Amino acid sequence: MDTIYWSRRRMLGALAATTAAAATSNLLFALPSARAAIASEGDGGDPLRLPDTERAKVVKAWLLGGKAVRASAATALTGTDADIQNFLAVRYPADSAADNRASLINSLTAAGKGTRREATAAINDGDSAIAAFLGGGFKAALMEDLRVATAVAMASGGRGVNRKGNAALNDGSQAELESFLLDGQFTARLEDMRVEVSKLLVQAGPEVQKYASRALSGSGDDVEWFLETGQHIARARDQEAMRIH
């Protein structure tokens, strides 16, 4: 009997481009948000608790901004009041746009097809489109990528993977789809592999039974090794014993 299954290691390779959508969502949510932080008045809800002064706003930009913003903010903080005002009025908006563009471009290598498509369109359409995309416009494309990645995982999975994948798709939320892609599919795949091992026990020779029993009482790596390698060694030993007798 040929056992067909996908190991965790193989799945990570096969889904590298699509399950990246789950990680991409965290990247997009974590992109520089200093503009909103600087725009806030007072210290209500502000964990930095800085005074409401122009120089404090530049400090906040340095703490929360991207590479370009931090460089300009550092220069302004060592300068005059005029340098501070120039940073807030001129350099900060321009550098924030540059950081947003750089962050979005960097995210493309780890993004799914839908997110890459929409991010590329935003990059081509300019700074306003990039800001809108990062402000929430990416969510529809991200959900598309998560659903595609879930379908890919299900296509190569057994009953357990398909059960959990369908549950995630029926729920439809980002949290459930990401949970399936980053964790649930692997738990279900191990369940499916254990089922495969149990099937091999039916009408198996003594060596296959011995190897299979050890795998089932062991770890996920033991189950994977048995399906990938151990079963073939055991079957060869059973066949050799039959020839001897």
Side-chain angles (χ1 to χ4, degrees):
M1 177 192 300
D2 291 330
T3 301
I4 300 175
Y5 77 103
W6 284 58
S7 70
R8 181 185 181 108
R9 182 172 60 254
R10 288 173 177 172
M11 279 303 303
L12 283 171
L15 296 179
T18 49
T19 55
T24 301
S25 66
N26 293 328
L27 175 62
L28 291 171
F29 283 130
L31 288 172
S33 57
R35 183 184 299 275
I38 290 178
S40 64
E41 294 296 331
D43 57 4
D46 181 3
L48 298 178
R49 302 289 183 179
L50 295 176
D52 185 22
T53 65
E54 289 184 336
R55 187 167 292 272
K57 289 178 181 180
V58 179
V59 172
K60 188 181 292 185
W62 183 83
L63 290 170
L64 301 177
K67 184 177 181 180
V69 167
R70 286 172 62 86
S72 292
T75 299
L77 287 170
T78 61
T80 65
D81 288 345
D83 294 324
I84 293 290
Q85 293 166 0
N86 180 69
F87 170 80
L88 292 173
V90 180
R91 293 308 314 162
Y92 179 70
D95 291 340
S96 290
D99 283 334
N100 284 344
R101 178 177 292 272
S103 296
L104 189 53
I105 290 172
N106 290 337
S107 76
L108 293 180
T109 57
K113 184 177 181 180
T115 302
R116 283 200 306 273
R117 181 190 66 238
E118 297 303 319
T120 300
I123 291 169
N124 292 336
D125 289 342
D127 293 340
S128 296
I130 291 173
F133 181 80
L134 296 179
F138 65 88
K139 291 182 180 179
L142 174 64
M143 292 301 295
E144 174 189 330
D145 288 335
L146 292 174
R147 287 191 291 268
V148 169
T150 298
V152 170
M154 291 170 62
S156 65
R159 184 174 296 180
V161 171
N162 277 268
R163 183 184 68 251
K164 284 187 176 284
N166 275 320
L169 288 172
N170 290 336
D171 179 276
S173 69
Q174 178 181 332
E176 286 300 316
L177 291 169
E178 289 178 345
S179 177
F180 169 75
L181 290 170
L182 297 175
D183 182 60
Q185 67 159 315
F186 300 115
T187 301
R189 201 165 298 277
L190 176 56
E191 173 188 326
D192 288 335
M193 288 194 294
R194 289 187 180 277
V195 169
E196 287 294 327
V197 175
S198 297
K199 288 180 180 178
L200 287 173
L201 282 169
V202 179
Q203 298 181 339
E207 288 296 318
V208 171
Q209 289 184 0
K210 181 173 68 176
Y211 275 60
S213 295
R214 287 176 178 172
L216 289 173
S217 62
S219 66
D221 288 341
D222 295 328
V223 173
E224 183 176 331
W225 180 85
F226 171 78
L227 288 172
E228 193 171 66
T229 304
Q231 64 161 315
H232 305 297
I233 295 173
R235 190 172 292 111
R237 290 182 175 178
D238 281 331
Q239 290 171 350
E240 180 64 23
M242 290 176 63
R243 283 195 295 268
I244 293 175
H245 292 89

